[in-house]
Amino acid sequence: MFSTADTIVAIATPPGRGGIGVVRVSGPEAPRIARSLIAHEPALEPRRATLTLIRLMAEAGAAVDQVVATYFPAPASYTGEDVVELSAHGSPVVLRTIVAAAIASGARLAEPGEFTLRAFLNGRIDLTQAEAVGDLIDAVTPLQARAAFDQLQGTLTRTINEIDAALFDLIARLEASVDFPEEGYHFVEPAALAGAVDALIERTGRLLLDARRGRFVREGLQVAVVGKPNVGKSSVFNALVGTSRAIVTDIPGTTRDLVTEVVDLDGLRVTLVDTAGLRPTTDRIEAEGVERARQAQRVSDLTLVVLDGATPLDETDLEILAQVVDDTVLTISNKSDLEPAWTDPALLRVSARTLEGIPELRQAIVAALDIEPLRDTPEITNVRHIALVQRAQDALRRARVAAGGDEVPLSEEFVLADLQEARAAFEEIAGRRADDELLSHIFSKFCIGK
Ligand SMILES: Nc1nc2c(ncn2[C@@H]2O[C@H](COP(=O)(O)OP(=O)(O)OP(=O)(O)O)[C@@H](O)[C@H]2O)c(=O)[nH]1
Ligand SMILES: [Mg+2]
């Protein structure tokens, strides 16, 4: 379905004004189309930045600019095709004019992610690396960026290829045994077969062990801040975010809707959700806010319960604490700058006003989320990959059962079918068996120009 026969064009830099803006042209006609746009007469030298003018367009008043044109001949380019990049001043009018002129010369406007899709279709990168490009661009924390960059550099590709090669070898030898039973011997000894499958199960297991952590690094976690009205939830939320994002007043019931903000806690992408104070209410707006608070709490990875350390605890506080027992909970006592009305040595004391205890709170949140250690980057982060490795491992376990112990396998055909299924899952991760629907799904989330 996807064609790489035509030449595509798009603005590769973000929308809006900037110091420079880049128009990227890729495809067989890229050099010709680029030359029709610029005043520089001779053919562009490969990989050499050439300062030139955008040729005056036929219509009067069309924008012109001075640009740096760079030609990357196939196959050593981002897409693996002939690519020309034109760096102009970052003016949307200029950039759009260049794109329009390229289209007039025969290029087509690129779809979202189409440059990266072409890099994949042309074999420059595999699917996990293409996905890593998107993750790298979307990264919010340095750890996310590093995990994505490692994947782009091929760490996951190498692991997947290694497992795939071992599977291929095993399948080939088993097939030989099945195809030539009259030879009277096994190309794979039964004990060796079971051992080889065990090793593969162990290897996929190591990948999956990393997966929970990896998914959290890539997708982040959600922490809901809950508690009674006026205890200082919004103030604590603001202290963690570092700006006065949520409205704070001394009127109980200030926060009505959910307020969310993404923060970087120790490399983790955490979505903090400030919620309406939980209390019985007849106010319809507040009641809706309370309902939303409960929903947010249910889908969060951690519930941060805020108590007011300067006011005696009451029924409402105790009810809230009773409701969250099944969740992952971190309870704190706020307003430590005031005279304490009660104390509990087990609770972290913070002051959203003086910021006392806020650094400790950040650490406590990461510790409560229980995904240490975060220091090195996880090998596998994407749910699509995790699900497929899991599927492969399930098939390997079935193969292991069919392979039996040291005796002759139950049936080599059964083992073979399971191993082939495991291999298919790995090929899908790398994209060797990706259908158009999957590719559309993955690349539609990219921006145009990437
Ligand atoms: N002294 C002191 N006052 C605080 C502290 N944190 C919050 N407050 C005050 O407590 C009042 C309520 O703060 P909010 O952050 O709006 O409380 P909330 O829990 O979000 O309240 P609702 O949105 O109504 O549920 C405000 O007057 C804050 O200034 C603190 O650490 N110390
Ligand atoms: Mg509030």
Side-chain angles (χ1 to χ4, degrees), residues 229-235 249 253-255 277 334-335 337 351-353:
N230 232 31
V231 294
K233 297 178 297 302
S234 301
S235 305
T249 75
T254 300
T255 307
N334 186 34
K335 309 195 186 179
D337 54 298
S351 167
R353 179 155 297 170

Side-chain angles (χ1 to χ4, degrees), residues 25-75:
V25 189
S26 177
E29 292 288 308
R32 179 191 62 77
I33 291 170
R35 283 179 68 197
S36 77
L37 302 177
I38 55 178
H40 187 77
E41 287 291 341
L44 287 167
E45 250 182 85
R47 303 170 162 276
R48 177 169 284 252
T50 305
L51 186 66
T52 176
L53 288 173
I54 289 292
R55 225 195 272 260
L56 271 172
M57 312 297 161
E59 335 107 55
V64 274
D65 194 8
Q66 196 174 39
V67 297
V68 172
T70 320
Y71 169 41
F72 302 91

Side-chain angles (χ1 to χ4, degrees), residues 127-299:
L127 197 50
T128 67
Q129 290 170 305
E131 289 170 297
V133 171
D135 286 354
L136 182 59
I137 292 171
D138 291 339
V140 174
T141 72
L143 186 65
Q144 279 187 315
R146 219 168 68 212
F149 186 64
D150 283 355
Q151 188 173 316
L152 178 58
Q153 294 287 83
T155 46
L156 183 60
T157 305
R158 276 191 291 280
T159 306
I160 298 296
N161 286 349
E162 231 173 74
I163 300 176
D164 190 50
L167 269 168
F168 176 78
D169 174 65
L170 204 54
I171 288 170
R173 285 191 289 155
L174 261 183
E175 271 173 349
S177 299
V178 173
D179 289 347
F180 305 104
E182 65 280 4
E183 308 285 300
Y185 71 90
H186 293 280
F187 286 80
V188 207
E189 288 307 320
L193 174 61
V197 176
D198 278 339
L200 286 166
I201 292 174
E202 199 271 328
R203 187 67 190 91
T204 51
R206 257 189 289 149
L207 262 186
L208 290 174
L209 212 60
D210 222 23
R212 182 179 116 93
R213 206 165 62 89
R215 193 167 56 83
F216 285 151
V217 168
R218 178 168 184 269
E219 289 173 13
L221 301 107
Q222 183 165 309
V223 175
V225 186
V226 305
K228 204 175 58 175
N230 232 31
V231 294
K233 297 178 297 302
S234 301
S235 305
V236 168
F237 172 90
N238 286 342
L240 288 169
V241 171
T243 60
S244 21
R245 170 78 173 79
I247 300 171
V248 169
T249 75
D250 56 4
I251 307 163
T254 300
T255 307
R256 298 296 183 89
D257 211 341
L258 303 176
V259 182
T260 65
E261 199 63 49
V262 177
V263 294
D264 174 348
L265 291 187
D266 223 7
L268 272 185
R269 179 190 204 276
V270 173
T271 305
L272 283 178
V273 188
D274 182 26
T275 66
L278 299 171
R279 65 167 170 188
T281 174
T282 49
D283 182 304
R284 272 173 56 205
I285 303 174
E286 195 181 350
E288 174 63 24
V290 168
E291 183 48 36
R292 287 183 185 205
R294 293 195 198 286
Q295 277 169 9
Q297 182 208 328
R298 272 196 293 275
V299 301

Side-chain angles (χ1 to χ4, degrees), residues 347-388:
L347 299 190
L348 181 63
R349 294 181 69 215
V350 309
S351 167
R353 179 155 297 170
T354 66
L355 302 186
E356 182 195 13
I358 295 297
E360 291 80 0
L361 175 57
R362 292 171 159 271
Q363 285 167 13
I365 291 173
V366 174
L369 288 167
D370 190 27
I371 39 176
E372 299 284 338
L374 281 168
R375 291 299 149 223
D376 39 84
T377 58
E379 205 170 4
I380 184 165
T381 58
N382 182 317
V383 260
R384 185 182 81 82
H385 308 156
I386 296 169
L388 285 165

